[in-house]
Amino acid sequence: MIVVQNLIDAISLGSVYALAALGIGLIFSIMRLINFAHGELIMVGGFVIYALAGNPMLVMALSAIIVVTILALGMERLAFRPLRKASPPTLLIASFAVSYFVQHVILMIFGSRPMGVDFLSVLGESFEFAGLRVPRLQCIAIVVTLALMVGLVVFFRASRIGVQMRAAAEDFTMARLLGVKADRVIAVAFALSGILASFVSLYLVAQTGTVSYKMGVNMVLIAFVASVIGGMGSLTGAALGGFIVGIVSVSLQAYLPEELRPYRDAFVFLLFIAFLLWRPQGLLVRRASERV
């Protein structure tokens, strides 16, 4: 039963990592941009929930989704669109600049101390069956992640803009020559990344009951690692990488000697380095989209 319990925990954590990695991978597949400001989208979602504390939970959740999506679109329009023809290193530096700017805006408004917020605390209760204890939040995380992933698959296969985004991910230059509008495709990609980031925010706030201006930093780093493991540019790979990182993290936490468990993340990154030495291109290799 302990193995099954650990597996459920790993899938739950991996599902959250998968959502964060999908947000990173989606932008990279089209723009060749590793958007480290994605962590600040997650952070802002948490502070929207904090600012609206006391309102109905649905209002808080929908407001976080809407605000984060608008912020993602604003990032694209104000920071990344003017630099679209710049080199990848320039875009990367721009993403760090946006990240620090948003962090310091939040610092000026809310301060640096973590703050508590009551959000979906009822999900902390557990289901018990066959000797297993599964928190409701874990079940919700798995179900929501699967629903969003299925929704993305349907969107990319059935909608016109989704098909255009798939074409742009394969070869952006050719897609533009065939009539795909770059501004529209990239804006939709940022909006989707904002939606994914907002759901990660909801999970983190519900799980920890706190918000902090640094709450997105670790998550975006893990999302980047997951994207690289899965294969940069592959959304399937990003999701797969997220689940792998979640499984490895929970396994190390469960089976490492007790005195080594505080250093779990160090072992995760050591394994990541070893993986890159073995397969630097990631698990799923996909034809990289050309820089816009």
Side-chain angles (χ1 to χ4, degrees), residues 42-53 60 106 110-119 201-216:
I42 296 172
M43 178 262 293
V44 167
F47 276 96
V48 171
I49 295 171
Y50 172 79
L52 295 177
M60 297 165 68
I106 293 297
F110 295 100
S112 61
R113 295 177 60 184
M115 292 170 286
V117 57
D118 181 16
F119 179 69
S201 297
L202 300 180
Y203 173 84
L204 290 178
V205 177
Q207 180 192 46
T208 64
T210 62
V211 294
S212 166
Y213 78 100
K214 290 185 176 180
M215 64 181 289

Side-chain angles (χ1 to χ4, degrees), residues 90-111:
T90 300
L91 289 171
L92 181 63
I93 292 171
S95 77
F96 281 117
V98 172
S99 172
Y100 282 112
F101 173 76
V102 175
Q103 274 192 25
H104 283 79
V105 169
I106 293 297
L107 273 171
M108 289 188 293
I109 297 174
F110 295 100

